Amino acid sequence: MTPRAADRARYDRATAALDAPVAIVDLEAFDANADDLVRRAGGKPVRVASKSVRCRALLERVLARDGFAGVMSFTLAESLWLARAGFEDVLLAYPSADRSGYAELARDPKLAAAVTVTVDDVAQLDLIDSARAGGTEEVRVCLEMDTALRLLGGRVRIGALRSPLRTPAQLAELARSVVRRPGFRLVGLMAYEGHVAGVGDAVAGRPLRSRAVRAMQAVARRELAERRAAVVGAVRAVAPDLEFVNGGGTGSVQHTVAEAAVTEVAAGSGLYVPRLFDDYSSFSGRPAALFALPVVRRPGVGVVTVLGGGYPASGAAGRDRLPVPYLPEGLRYDPREGPGEVQTPLLGSPADDLRIGDKVWFRHAKAGELCERFETLHLVEGDRVVDAVPTYRGEGRTFL
């Protein structure tokens, strides 16, 4: 029996009493992935990206482990919810226009102490001030810098369209605006190098593309390390008590922590290890989060149909955004239908061994987005479900 076949047998036994669709997290794999992130972080703390987990119980589980500290959140409403629930260090990684959220933050000492908001424009500070509604608490602020690689005099840009702030002078200017402005305290700087951390460099069947990505990432790492060090120096000259400099992502942890200017790294997807991380050479993890769909039809030889399955991930549309049939091995989509809204045909010889009611296990293309489809994650140890915990959706929270 192959390791994957053994996992399928375990998952089927563990969920035998549960009807599909069902989602699980293999705790042994989850914990092993957490250990690997800590190892790669080399002693610097890992801040957990909540968008990649979307389950409070699992955020609490990983934060209880040595090597992890703090949450990186994705909306202000989520940040406040987590802080009210007892999370004491929440970095909101994206600017917000949530005026009611800012009013709540500015009037509650506990929330103001726990939550740090990210800005990259004076206009965002103006919005926060206009939303205070009389609240006088000091708002903790983190600046974000642009990490994109620019080539050929700026005519070629590689990287996410995030912050407009790129140079030490630009970041220092905004830092001075924050420091001079009553009601704000500059505590952090972040820089997410998505073109390094979030792009696979070992894509099966595409050796030329993979080599090109590796070459680009090597250049990008060198350029960013030099520029980030200069930016941090410029910002610290304005705010010597800066508490943290955050960088990286699951795919770049070991490279980012090598920079002396970086004090912590962010990661989250590496806990679940979704399908997209099969294309990385920098690390290998164990798939920990899966979902199962039930076989409901057998249209013919070499084909079964499962219920549901149309769970595409965000990003530019393409085959790499689709979940993949994982267990049993050897199933594939019908190219004319793909994963459907209410049913998904699957082709391949393993289909002939599946019966009505059997489970087919899938891996989502990205990490936390799986939790937007399921209210509960069943936690598996060995061949038993040891707990069932709500996702954000299961707690009635759909933040985006």
Side-chain angles (χ1 to χ4, degrees):
M1 182 180 291
T2 67
R4 279 175 58 174
D7 283 342
R8 179 194 175 202
R10 286 196 301 114
Y11 301 150
D12 282 347
R13 287 195 298 271
T15 62
L18 300 174
D19 289 332
V22 64
I24 66 167
V25 170
D26 184 329
L27 291 179
E28 182 181 339
F30 181 90
D31 291 343
N33 293 334
D35 288 342
D36 185 64
L37 286 171
V38 171
R39 177 190 61 79
R40 290 197 288 135
K44 292 185 178 180
V46 178
R47 185 180 291 273
V48 184
S50 63
K51 76 177 183 65
S52 300
V53 179
R54 304 195 199 200
C55 171
R56 277 201 300 160
L58 290 175
L59 288 173
E60 291 166 352
R61 182 184 182 93
V62 73
L63 286 170
R65 304 174 70 88
D66 290 341
F68 291 87
V71 172
M72 177 177 281
S73 58
F74 59 97
T75 73
L76 182 55
E78 179 210 14
S79 305
L80 301 178
W81 178 64
L82 290 174
R84 286 194 297 269
F87 292 82
E88 297 179 349
D89 179 5
V90 182
L91 168 61
L92 172 58
Y94 304 86
S96 175
D98 181 353
R99 290 179 171 82
S100 63
Y102 282 130
E104 185 177 357
L105 179 68
R107 64 173 178 261
D108 189 314
K110 176 184 175 181
L111 298 180
V115 175
T116 300
V117 303
T118 292
V119 302
D120 56 34
D121 194 311
V122 171
Q124 294 156 356
L125 301 176
D126 294 338
L127 187 147
I128 296 171
D129 267 339
S130 71
R132 285 179 182 272
T136 59
E137 293 299 322
E138 192 173 57
V139 176
R140 292 167 54 85
V141 171
C142 173
L143 308 183
E144 181 173 6
M145 67 173 280
D146 173 40
T147 67
L149 176 65
R150 294 186 180 180
L151 304 171
L152 300 178
R155 293 191 295 276
V156 175
R157 185 182 192 282
I158 303 172
L161 289 164
R162 292 174 64 108
S163 172
L165 306 177
R166 179 172 184 81
T167 68
Q170 290 172 324
L171 272 297
E173 181 180 358
L174 183 56
R176 285 190 288 270
S177 296
V178 175
V179 169
R180 290 195 298 257
R181 194 160 182 150
F184 295 91
R185 180 154 60 101
L186 179 57
V187 300
L189 174 72
M190 70 166 288
Y192 171 59
E193 53 267 40
H195 52 302
V196 178
V199 178
D201 65 344
V203 182
R206 304 192 68 180
L208 295 180
R209 171 183 165 82
S210 298
R211 283 199 292 272
V213 169
R214 288 194 291 273
M216 175 275 291
Q217 291 177 339
V219 172
R221 288 196 299 268
R222 290 193 295 270
E223 185 275 337
L224 179 58
E226 180 177 339
R227 184 160 52 88
R228 180 154 41 195
V231 166
V232 171
V235 173
R236 285 197 184 278
V238 177
D241 297 328
L242 207 66
E243 296 174 13
F244 64 86
V245 176
N246 179 281
T250 290
S252 69
V253 167
Q254 66 270 36
H255 302 297
T256 304
V257 297
E259 297 180 33
V262 173
T263 67
E264 63 174 42
V265 290
S269 297
L271 296 168
Y272 287 168
V273 185
R275 159 66 186 88
L276 283 176
F277 284 104
D278 292 351
D279 295 336
Y280 285 69
S281 64
S282 59
F283 79 103
S284 60
R286 295 173 54 184
L290 302 96
F291 66 93
L293 301 177
V295 174
V296 291
R297 286 177 170 163
R298 291 173 51 86
V301 175
V303 56
V304 293
T305 302
V306 296
L307 182 69
Y311 304 160
S314 61
R319 291 182 59 83
D320 65 343
R321 301 291 146 168
L322 301 179
V324 292
Y326 184 59
L327 302 171
E329 299 178 64
L331 293 173
R332 64 187 187 279
Y333 292 125
D334 180 337
R336 294 168 298 181
E337 295 194 41
E341 178 185 10
V342 290
Q343 71 162 38
T344 297
L346 296 171
L347 311 180
S349 58
D352 294 330
D353 296 323
L354 291 169
R355 298 168 298 176
I356 300 296
D358 283 352
K359 294 181 175 78
V360 175
W361 295 91
F362 292 76
R363 293 169 64 201
H364 204 271
K366 295 181 73 174
E369 295 180 22
L370 165 66
C371 294
E372 298 300 329
R373 298 287 183 169
F374 291 89
E375 295 182 350
T376 302
L377 295 175
H378 296 273
L379 307 184
V380 172
E381 285 185 350
D383 61 358
R384 296 185 305 119
V385 169
V386 296
D387 203 356
V389 296
T391 61
Y392 280 12
R393 173 180 171 175
E395 296 199 66
R397 305 287 175 167
T398 51
F399 294 108
L400 280 179

